[in-house]
Amino acid sequence: MTLLFKVDDARAHDWKSLFQTHAPDIEVRLWPDIGDPAQIQFFASWQPPADLHVQFPNLQVVFATSAGVDQFDLSALPEHIEVVRMLDPGIAQGIVEYVCFAVLSLHREIPLYLDQQRQHHWQTRPLIPARQRRVGVMGLGNLGIAALQSLRPFGFDLSGWARSEKHIEGVRCFAGDQQLIPFLNQCDLLICLLPLTADTRGILNAKTFAALPHGARLINLGRGGHLVESDLLDALATGQIEQAILDVLNDEPPSQNHPYWDHPRIWLTPHIGAMTSPDSAFKLLLENIRRHQRGEPMQGAIARDVGY
Ligand code: NDP
């Protein structure tokens, strides 16, 4: 049984040594030392080459080393090859930390106070209690739920939106396209934690922003493709959106003359919301390989028809 990793050098060696220690029956190879391509059954990467199934004729499973698989061209892979995303608990922990940082910063007006400091200006705004701050999360999957749970102890008024109906304690849940506008109407602070699919591409657009209460704040932790970048500039210009914190962009890094770099009401971070760590992800990856060996369903398997 052979597993080929195509990941950065530092993590490649960590993965290999974890398998050598805990699962020596699985041979790990590191790209570009692929050996005999016909021996590769499992492939793990952030972004595999397009002709993967041609290069590796006996490939059975592609493991994404990320929580999202939008960077994969699923249509190019034959149906018999399963695609499985990463459910690393370390990713959820990273997202929880980022969400708390971003929500608390926006809730406590930190962007405004940092601006004031630059202008040597000392002025307070009324303190809004957390229970009066309505925080809504788009995407109630692994990460959306972890984000909401982490915000509960602060007492925020929480809601969430997904494709299917959900019941989450302490969270008003909305579902489907029909409930998107009612959901947005009650979000002072909107967090995007959706997967990028044909249905969600461009979902953070002028219509969405118009449905939010005036002066709402936006956090995009999903993918750059969720956001129509020019619509955000327009919404910031009218004050419809007061502040945005963006971890992901269409082009990463953005061009040097991208208007977001110097925008006074946009904070940018270079896609650091969460990163897969071999230490925390290994157990699940190995468990999925064992499940595959036993003919059982793997955790995080992608449903090709919906794309996530
Ligand atoms: P999941 O697949 O567990 O959850 C996805 C959620 O989105 C589900 O609740 C799903 O609804 C909902 N959803 C999907 N399509 C639609 C739609 N058309 N309308 C409404 N809701 C929809 O994903 P994760 O929580 O694990 O990850 C979410 C995304 O976070 C990833 O795909 C990735 O893009 C991003 N991410 C970003 C990182 C960063 O560093 N910034 C790090 C890791 C992930 P339902 O429950 O009904 O199926």
Side-chain angles (χ1 to χ4, degrees):
M1 178 139 356
T2 307
L3 165 63
L4 174 63
F5 276 96
K6 184 175 185 286
V7 293
D8 60 80
D9 284 351
R11 278 188 279 190
H13 292 287
D14 289 349
W15 282 116
K16 186 164 180 156
S17 81
L18 282 162
F19 274 93
Q20 279 170 340
T21 309
H22 301 286
D25 58 309
I26 299 172
E27 185 190 344
V28 169
R29 295 186 192 162
L30 304 182
W31 188 279
D33 298 324
I34 57 179
D36 177 1
Q39 291 174 336
I40 308 290
Q41 288 114 339
F42 303 110
F43 185 88
S45 179
W46 152 252
Q47 193 155 28
D51 60 349
L52 201 58
H53 59 290
V54 182
Q55 281 195 56
F56 305 107
N58 296 315
L59 190 64
Q60 294 173 14
V61 186
V62 177
F63 292 104
T65 54
S66 51
V69 294
D70 51 285
Q71 70 280 18
F72 283 54
D73 181 1
L74 295 175
S75 64
L77 278 177
E79 286 287 332
H80 72 270
I81 299 180
E82 285 196 76
V83 179
V84 180
R85 66 198 191 89
M86 192 55 84
L87 294 178
D88 174 7
I91 294 183
Q93 177 61 25
I95 291 293
V96 158
E97 290 170 6
Y98 194 107
V99 163
C100 288
F101 136 76
V103 168
L104 291 175
S105 298
L106 294 175
H107 170 57
R108 297 303 304 266
E109 316 283 2
I110 299 304
L112 173 91
Y113 292 128
L114 291 180
D115 265 3
Q116 286 190 182
Q117 182 186 350
R118 274 180 227 111
Q119 293 160 26
H120 298 198
H121 184 58
W122 189 272
Q123 168 98 48
T124 54
R125 267 196 189 185
L127 198 60
I128 295 177
R131 66 177 182 283
Q132 285 173 21
R133 190 78 79 179
R134 297 166 299 174
V135 180
V137 176
M138 303 174 96
L140 297 175
N142 210 26
L143 303 180
I145 290 176
L148 283 160
Q149 279 168 348
S150 71
L151 293 173
R152 269 194 82 187
F154 296 104
F156 290 109
D157 179 316
L158 300 174
S159 64
W161 177 73
R163 225 157 50 94
S164 56
E165 278 189 24
K166 300 272 187 292
H167 300 279
I168 306 168
E169 204 188 334
V171 179
R172 259 188 321 286
C173 292
F174 297 77
D177 293 345
Q178 312 83 325
Q179 290 184 16
L180 176 59
I181 298 292
F183 163 72
L184 295 168
N185 287 166
Q186 51 89 69
C187 290
D188 302 314
L189 207 159
L190 180 68
I191 304 170
C192 178
L193 270 168
L194 287 166
L196 184 61
T197 66
D199 288 338
T200 65
R201 182 172 290 281
I203 196 165
L204 301 175
N205 58 32
K207 195 173 158 209
T208 294
F209 300 147
L212 294 168
H214 187 77
R217 295 111 204 260
L218 172 71
I219 298 166
N220 189 15
L221 265 169
R223 288 287 184 258
H226 287 127
L227 176 66
V228 180
E229 293 187 350
S230 55
D231 287 3
L232 176 60
L233 290 175
D234 293 345
L236 286 162
T238 61
Q240 178 61 15
I241 298 280
E242 185 168 303
Q243 174 79 34
I245 300 184
L246 309 174
D247 185 46
V248 285
L249 287 179
N250 258 308
D251 293 321
E252 295 176 5
S255 63
Q256 272 310 311
N257 60 357
H258 195 290
Y260 284 6
W261 283 115
D262 296 314
H263 197 291
R265 284 185 290 127
I266 294 178
W267 282 3
L268 289 181
T269 53
H271 202 144
I272 43 89
M275 282 171 214
T276 299
S277 151
D279 270 349
S280 50
F282 172 75
K283 201 170 150 206
L284 185 80
L285 177 59
L286 178 61
E287 170 59 15
N288 268 337
I289 293 174
R290 297 298 187 217
R291 281 175 180 235
H292 182 76
Q293 286 176 308
R294 295 193 296 264
E296 294 169 10
M298 290 176 282
Q299 289 178 278
I302 297 301
R304 296 279 189 108
D305 53 340
V306 288
Y308 68 97

